Amino acid sequence: MNKTGLTKQQYEQMVNDCDNKCVITDDMLKADPNLMKCVRCPFCTETVDAILTDTQIICPKCHATAKLQ
């Protein structure tokens, strides 16, 4: 396992499941640092581009929020 807790096989399956849209590049991060691309919301279980602020992460589908530590 690596820092994310995913095995290589699990990561490759996740990338395949989202048609490589969840592969984050440095250019994507520079273009919009306030989005966390292609993550699954634990509340509504939708795959979304979550909104990041200094204090929280927000699901744009169900509007659930979680505080960042």
Side-chain angles (χ1 to χ4, degrees):
M1 266 199 232
N2 57 28
K3 291 180 188 178
T4 65
L6 294 174
T7 65
K8 182 176 187 247
Q9 183 179 12
Q10 289 170 322
Y11 174 77
E12 288 171 352
Q13 183 63 49
M14 180 185 71
V15 170
N16 287 334
D17 289 346
C18 68
D19 295 328
N20 293 318
K21 293 177 186 151
C22 55
V23 176
I24 308 301
T25 65
D26 288 339
D27 290 336
M28 291 169 74
L29 293 173
K30 289 175 189 171
D32 201 343
N34 295 324
L35 288 182
M36 182 180 261
K37 305 258 188 210
C38 196
V39 294
R40 185 175 305 265
C41 174
F43 301 101
C44 69
T45 68
E46 293 291 323
T47 299
V48 298
D49 292 342
I51 302 164
L52 297 174
T53 70
D54 290 339
T55 59
Q56 60 187 351
I57 183 170
I58 305 160
C59 174
K61 291 271 187 182
C62 71
H63 306 286
T65 63
K67 290 184 180 180
L68 296 174
Q69 295 181 356

